[in-house]
Amino acid sequence: MADGESSYSLPLPCVFSPKSQQYLAVCAQDGRLRIWNTDSKTLHREYVPSAHLSATCTCIHWGPCRTVKEGPQRKKRKSEAGQLEEKADLLAMGTVAGTVLIYSTAKGILHCTLDGGHSGGVNCVHWHPEDSLLYSGSDDTNIVEWDLQTGKTRSKWKADRGAVTSLCVSPDGKLLLSAGQTIKMWDLDTMEVYRKFTGHSTAVTTLRFATTRPPDSSSLYFLSGAAHNRLLSVWQVREDGKDKNSVVSFTLTDEPQHIDLVASKSKEQAVRLAVVCKDGQLHLFEHFLNGPCKKPLSPSCTVQMSDTKDSPMPIPLLAAGLGAESRTVMLAYGNYLQPVMERVDINTADRHVCLTRNIQTTLSLSIASTISKVKTPIVNPKSKVLVPGLPGHQAPVKGSSMATEKRKKDSDSKEMSIAERLGEIDLQSTASIEKGAPKGLPSLQTDNFAVLLVQGLESSDCSILNKVFQTRKEMIIKKTVARLPLPAVLPLVEEITKRLQGHPFTAVLMVRWLKAVLMHHTSYLSSLPDLVSQLGVLYHMIESRVKMFHKLTKLHGKLYLLITQVATNTSSNKVSDVDHTAKLVYEEESSDEAEASGDEVLLDEDSDNWEEDELMEDDKKDQIDQNEDQLDSRMDSKANGEENMEHDNESEEE
């Protein structure tokens, strides 16, 4: 990876808390951190960073479990002093802005903010076994060691030529693994490179120690996974230094998205591994690490989930956590905004397991079990209601009386659904503009469209998408697409592709949206490495539809040429002949007639332009004067001629 090049876009962070897996931390597309309780299946905490839209969270990592006082408690007896339960508390979050946020799950507040260490976005964070130290890697090619007691950097060094995409600290806290495309092992005592490994051809996204470090270092193993790579590689750290190549490989169906591992403490204990791939499948491995293995190892069990409909659809798995028993696995599946958590027992003797769940029923049960702290207010008819939208809108829209009455009726029974809210929102601004609506309304509607479009893409709600896609105004379409967050661009293109294959009337509307997406987000789409496979259907469909376009264009040109020639001939025949009759004729008579009668000006009967008699008389006088001058000059010339004749006669007589 070249210097300064931004790192591979990592999947959305979704991690179970260590040991008991009591909590699930998820950072969804909206930039909010949500912590779910896996026991009660309810939302435990929600944190909205101040810059959750501009500086989104890129990575999260749970700190070591510790004893935390969550509130005023009674004084413990001496016999109960040693029975304090250690729980996961601190959670580190790296952001695109280069800062690291430390959030306290027990207190529900931001513990501290670590900034000033990175000039680029943070790609990975990892805690030291001592919870007062934290390591972070960034696009600026540096690794920073943070001291949480002071909130400042303890040390900082350049790790690679390119961005640092993954970090991992050894269980004993003496070694640190870092990776971009090459993998380096650092000695934390001297801050020097201890080992260097070949790595992968793409950016490394996962590093995990597979064994705890024994006195004999030849038994130290770690594994790595990379973007767009369907293999997990296991590396052995040997004393002789001949450890540049991997010794074991695990095969996957897609690139790894989430990994949980139970490390081996001795040679007699196998390593247990749970890998959730990008295609939503879970692969379970169990292997004894005792040297190199030439053939790639297949998973001992593969788990998939689907719904209970007549034509079952797959349900994507988001994360998995291994329990104390080999058959127990904690699963998170469904949607990042509303994940479903379930602890299941899997029969690993079966190579392939398919679990069927009614996700709608599960979601309704989990939502009903939550204790809502939100009270629906009674809206005054005279009050102004702001339409939901992106931050920054200020244009108020008055709520209709029908809407307020409906809210009052439903406030005692249940909260309004999204479909009912959409029915109240008037997405057509024509009538309001004619009545003198404020000028900021189109931008407000654009904000509303962008939010609705993201919600519709996330929930795959056809009613929301139909409301948004029905607009025909080019300005609203362009501004809505421009306001979309980048993670929503590719789902929008996939939805447009699906709708383009339908009725031609729908395709005409979808072409406008596709044009706007290509105008605003071409640079983002071109940066995606697997764009060809994702947009292959759209490309082939467009190619098949424009296959005859070249021939039709030629035919159109020939027909246009013939039609223009026929039209030219017809128009030339209709043009009237040019009238060559003179409007004014001037005739100069001989000198003898001029003396008698002067000059006459013959005017054509059709010329009616000379209406003033005075002008005509002045012209005649001027002409008579000119004629008299000409006559005088001729008389003089005659006199001169007679004198010459007399002189000639005299000479002849002589």
Side-chain angles (χ1 to χ4, degrees), residues 13 31 33 39 66 110 117-118 155 166 203 210 324 326 387 529 535 541 564 566 584 617:
L33 171 67
D39 296 331
R66 61 175 188 170
L110 187 65
H118 292 292
S155 59
S166 187
S326 59
V387 178
L535 300 185
M541 182 179 60
T564 51
V566 172
L584 178 65
E617 291 175 358

Side-chain angles (χ1 to χ4, degrees), residues 452-495:
L452 291 177
L453 185 56
V454 173
Q455 291 178 355
L457 293 173
E458 285 293 330
S459 59
S460 299
D461 194 333
C462 295
S463 61
I464 299 178
L465 294 175
N466 291 336
K467 283 280 187 180
V468 177
F469 286 144
Q470 282 176 0
T471 181
R472 296 174 178 270
K473 296 188 177 181
E474 296 289 342
M475 181 188 69
I476 295 179
I477 293 175
K478 290 180 181 179
K479 291 187 176 181
T480 302
V481 173
R483 283 178 168 85
L484 280 181
L486 292 180
V489 174
L490 197 57
L492 174 60
V493 175
E494 293 175 353
E495 182 67 24

Side-chain angles (χ1 to χ4, degrees), residues 327-373:
R327 299 180 58 180
T328 305
V329 180
M330 174 65 75
L331 300 177
Y333 55 89
N335 196 316
Y336 282 100
L337 296 175
Q338 180 70 41
V340 181
M341 295 143 290
E342 183 181 358
R343 194 182 300 273
V344 296
D345 291 335
I346 297 176
N347 185 9
T348 55
D350 298 333
R351 296 297 300 270
H352 192 89
V353 177
C354 184
L355 305 176
T356 58
R357 297 288 186 272
N358 189 349
I359 190 168
Q360 297 295 337
T361 305
T362 310
L363 280 175
S364 61
L365 291 175
S366 61
I367 293 174
S369 61
T370 58
I371 300 174
S372 177
K373 298 180 181 180

Side-chain angles (χ1 to χ4, degrees), residues 215-515:
D216 182 9
S217 60
S218 62
S219 299
L220 180 63
Y221 293 86
F222 70 90
L223 64 87
S224 64
H228 315 296
N229 196 339
R230 298 182 180 183
L231 289 176
L232 283 179
S233 301
V234 180
W235 312 79
Q236 183 181 14
V237 183
R238 301 175 57 180
E239 290 181 338
D240 54 7
K242 298 179 180 180
D243 46 17
K244 293 185 178 181
N245 298 323
S246 61
V247 293
V248 181
S249 296
F250 298 111
T251 60
L252 306 172
T253 55
D254 205 341
E255 63 177 282
Q257 185 170 334
H258 179 274
I259 292 179
D260 190 33
L261 183 142
V262 177
S264 172
K265 297 180 180 180
S266 63
K267 294 183 178 180
E268 290 76 19
Q269 184 181 2
V271 175
R272 294 170 54 209
L273 183 64
V275 184
V276 176
C277 296
K278 193 175 180 179
D279 57 0
Q281 298 187 44
L282 169 65
H283 302 287
L284 301 176
F285 297 90
E286 191 169 353
H287 180 67
F288 291 93
L289 297 175
N290 53 7
C293 182
K294 295 182 179 180
K295 294 183 179 180
L297 301 177
S298 301
S300 58
C301 182
T302 299
V303 181
Q304 286 181 294
M305 297 197 73
S306 66
D307 54 21
T308 57
K309 297 181 181 179
D310 296 335
S311 55
M313 296 293 292
I315 300 174
L317 289 166
L318 308 179
L322 296 172
E325 299 180 2
S326 59
R327 299 180 58 180
T328 305
V329 180
M330 174 65 75
L331 300 177
Y333 55 89
N335 196 316
Y336 282 100
L337 296 175
Q338 180 70 41
V340 181
M341 295 143 290
E342 183 181 358
R343 194 182 300 273
V344 296
D345 291 335
I346 297 176
N347 185 9
T348 55
D350 298 333
R351 296 297 300 270
H352 192 89
V353 177
C354 184
L355 305 176
T356 58
R357 297 288 186 272
N358 189 349
I359 190 168
Q360 297 295 337
T361 305
T362 310
L363 280 175
S364 61
L365 291 175
S366 61
I367 293 174
S369 61
T370 58
I371 300 174
S372 177
K373 298 180 181 180
V374 179
K375 295 182 179 180
T376 305
I378 299 176
V379 181
N380 191 354
K382 297 181 179 180
S383 63
K384 295 181 179 180
V385 180
L386 291 178
V387 178
L390 296 176
H393 68 275
Q394 298 177 353
V397 179
K398 293 184 179 180
S400 61
S401 59
M402 296 292 293
T404 55
E405 292 177 1
K406 194 170 185 180
R407 289 194 188 97
K408 289 181 180 180
K409 291 180 181 178
D410 297 344
S411 59
D412 299 333
S413 59
K414 61 180 182 179
E415 190 175 354
M416 296 172 60
S417 63
I418 295 179
E420 293 173 347
R421 294 178 184 177
L422 284 174
E424 295 181 1
I425 297 175
D426 186 10
L427 299 182
Q428 301 293 336
S429 62
T430 306
S432 59
I433 292 176
E434 291 177 354
K435 295 178 181 179
K439 295 181 180 179
L441 186 60
S443 62
L444 175 63
Q445 286 191 348
T446 304
D447 296 342
N448 189 26
F449 270 51
V451 174
L452 291 177
L453 185 56
V454 173
Q455 291 178 355
L457 293 173
E458 285 293 330
S459 59
S460 299
D461 194 333
C462 295
S463 61
I464 299 178
L465 294 175
N466 291 336
K467 283 280 187 180
V468 177
F469 286 144
Q470 282 176 0
T471 181
R472 296 174 178 270
K473 296 188 177 181
E474 296 289 342
M475 181 188 69
I476 295 179
I477 293 175
K478 290 180 181 179
K479 291 187 176 181
T480 302
V481 173
R483 283 178 168 85
L484 280 181
L486 292 180
V489 174
L490 197 57
L492 174 60
V493 175
E494 293 175 353
E495 182 67 24
I496 291 173
T497 304
K498 183 172 68 175
R499 290 172 177 260
L500 279 173
Q501 299 174 359
H503 196 275
F505 179 76
T506 308
V508 172
L509 299 177
M510 290 299 102
V511 166
R512 300 180 181 180
W513 287 89
L514 181 61
K515 178 182 176 182

